[in-house]
Amino acid sequence: MIVVLIETDAEGVTETSLETLRFARDLAAEGGGVPVHGLVVGSVPDTDELGKHGVSTVYVARGEGLASYSAAAWAAALVEARERTGAVVLTAAGTPRGNEVLAHVATRLDVPMAANAVAFEGLAPLVVKRQVAGGAALEEMQLPARPAVFTVAGHAVEARPADQATEAVVEEFEPGLEAADLVGRVVSTEPGVPDQSGDLRSARVVVGAGRGAGGPDGFGAVSELADLLGGQLGVSRVVTSLGWRPHHEQVGQTGSRIAPNLYVPCGISGAIQHWAGCASSKTILAINTDAEAPMMTKATYAVVGDMHEVVPAIVDEIRRRSGT
Ligand SMILES: Cc1cc2nc3c(=O)[nH]c(=O)nc-3n(C[C@H](O)[C@H](O)[C@H](O)COP(=O)(O)OP(=O)(O)OC[C@H]3O[C@@H](n4cnc5c(N)ncnc54)[C@H](O)[C@@H]3O)c2cc1C
C-alpha cells in the first residue's frame, strides 16, 4: 500500500499532488499493483477526480486541531493513516508543506526521508533519484526502511489520469493529537502579492532572454516570438537584478521552475542556477553567440548567432509562413 498526502487549493487538488499520484501509481505498478490511497486534511476533495487518478480510499483527517495548518498535526494524521492501511510507502509533493510534513513523519517513525525524488530505480531496496542543489545535480538514495518516506519534485513526472479509474471511497477519522503537535501552527494568513508566475510555470512554450538582450529595450523580438508561439517570456536573474524585467518572469533556482515542451533561451549562458529551473524542458533550442556556453552544449538544438539577428529572422519566417 502507498499513502499520498494530497494538498488542495481553491481550485481543488493541486497539480503537484496529481503528479505525485502518478509517481505513486508507477511505483505501485512496479510493486505488483498495490493500492494507492490518499490522505487529505480538512475538507473532502473531489473524489471523482481522485478516483480518475487511481486513488482507492481517500482518508480524510478531521478535528479541531486540524482547522489550521500544523506540520506536526498533519504528520500525526499521516502516521495514523499509515497504521490504518499498513502502507509501506508514504509520499507527498515536494512543496514546502509536503517536505515539512514528511520530515516530521520520518522523525516520528525513525526512518530516513528523501526530498524531491524525480524517479525510482529499484524496489528492494527502494532507490530514488532525487534533485539536490536546487536541481543542478541528481543523487541516488536508498530507502530500505519501511515505510519508505519521500517527496516528489514538481514536474518530475506529468500528471495523468490512471488507465483504469477507481471508485474512491471516503473514510473520515480524527487523529489523536498531542498538545505539542499544535505548538507550531498557522494562526493567521495575509494575502501576499498576487503570484504572476503561474502562467510561466505551466507554459508549453517559453522564450527566454538573458544578458544578451543588451538592455531593457532588447526584449521586443523575444516577446513577439513568445506571443507568436502562444508561449511566455522567461528571463535570467541578471535580467531581473538589473531591473530590465520583473522578477515573476525569472526562471531558475530562485525563480520559476518550468517544464515546457519547447524552451528557447536567447543570450542565456546556462549557469547551474538557471539550469535548475529549466532542466525539465522537453526540447531546448538555444541561441547564443558563444557555441561553448553551457546552455548551448546541453541544448537539443543550438544556433550560434546574435539573438538580435536570429530571433527577428525566426519571427519574420513564422509570419511569412502563417501569412500574418
Ligand atoms: C544563489 C544564486 C541563485 C541564483 N538563481 C538564479 C536563477 O534563479 N536564475 C538565473 O537565471 N540565474 C540565477 N543565478 C545567477 C546565475 O549564476 C547567472 O549569473 C545568471 O543565470 C546569468 O545570466 P545570463 O545567462 O543572462 O548572463 P551571462 O552569464 O552573462 O550570459 C550571457 C550570455 O549571453 C550571450 N550573449 C551575449 N550577447 C549575445 C547576443 N547578442 N546574442 C546571443 N547571445 C549573446 C553570451 O555569450 C552569454 O552566454 C543565481 C546565482 C546565485 C549565486
Side-chain angles (χ1 to χ4, degrees):
M1 311 254 187
I2 298 177
V3 177
V4 179
L5 172 67
I6 290 166
E7 291 185 64
T8 58
D9 58 20
E11 282 155 33
V13 178
T14 60
E15 187 71 9
T16 46
S17 286
L18 295 178
E19 291 169 4
T20 306
L21 284 172
R22 158 91 191 278
F23 192 103
R25 284 201 319 272
D26 290 350
L27 187 59
E30 202 69 27
V34 297
V36 174
H37 302 303
L39 169 74
V40 182
V41 181
S43 53
V44 183
D46 180 349
T47 47
D48 280 351
E49 186 179 25
L50 290 176
K52 277 185 201 146
H53 287 264
V55 175
S56 301
T57 304
V58 186
Y59 290 90
V60 179
R62 286 186 188 271
E64 224 177 285
L66 296 168
S68 62
Y69 171 72
S70 149
W74 283 38
L78 189 50
V79 169
E80 197 162 321
R82 191 253 166 170
E83 283 160 10
R84 285 166 180 261
T85 56
V88 290
V89 173
L90 300 177
T91 183
T95 58
R97 283 193 178 181
N99 282 328
E100 189 178 37
V101 172
L102 280 255
H104 276 264
V105 166
T107 305
R108 278 168 191 254
L109 298 175
D110 198 20
V111 295
M113 173 208 165
N116 296 320
V118 294
F120 60 91
E121 297 276 298
L123 286 181
L126 178 62
V127 178
V128 293
K129 241 186 199 175
R130 65 170 184 166
Q131 287 179 345
V132 287
L138 292 177
E139 65 183 20
E140 288 183 358
M141 185 170 170
Q142 279 197 5
L143 295 172
R146 290 293 172 268
V149 175
F150 64 87
T151 59
V152 178
H155 299 321
V157 293
E158 206 174 327
R160 189 187 298 161
D163 292 339
Q164 278 190 316
T166 52
E167 289 270 328
V169 180
V170 173
E171 202 172 296
E172 294 191 20
F173 70 103
E174 183 167 349
L177 300 179
E178 308 278 332
D181 293 332
L182 302 172
V183 172
R185 68 183 198 282
V186 173
V187 289
S188 71
T189 308
E190 287 170 25
V193 179
D195 180 4
Q196 295 172 284
S197 53
D199 290 346
L200 178 60
R201 287 198 301 267
S202 59
R204 292 292 146 218
V205 176
V206 175
V207 178
R211 197 195 297 271
D217 300 329
F219 295 84
V222 281
S223 297
E224 198 178 352
L225 180 59
D227 285 346
L228 280 173
L229 297 176
Q232 296 286 323
L233 179 66
V235 300
S236 71
R237 181 155 115 167
V238 163
V239 167
T240 58
S241 300
L242 291 170
W244 295 352
R245 300 293 303 183
H247 181 264
H248 70 260
E249 290 179 355
Q250 184 180 315
V251 170
Q253 183 183 328
T254 45
S256 292
R257 307 265 165 116
I258 59 170
N261 291 332
L262 174 64
Y263 181 41
V264 189
C266 309
I268 295 179
S269 59
I272 52 166
Q273 296 90 353
H274 187 88
W275 184 251
C278 68
S280 299
S281 305
K282 292 183 186 60
T283 300
I284 297 180
L285 164 63
I287 300 169
N288 200 304
T289 44
D290 178 4
E292 300 304 320
M295 185 61 87
M296 296 286 274
T297 56
K298 289 177 182 163
T300 328
Y301 305 100
V303 178
V304 182
D306 184 337
M307 62 181 277
H308 300 291
E309 293 170 9
V310 178
V311 178
I314 296 173
V315 166
D316 287 349
E317 185 60 19
I318 292 174
R319 289 203 182 285
R320 189 184 67 76
R321 291 190 188 202
S322 61
T324 54

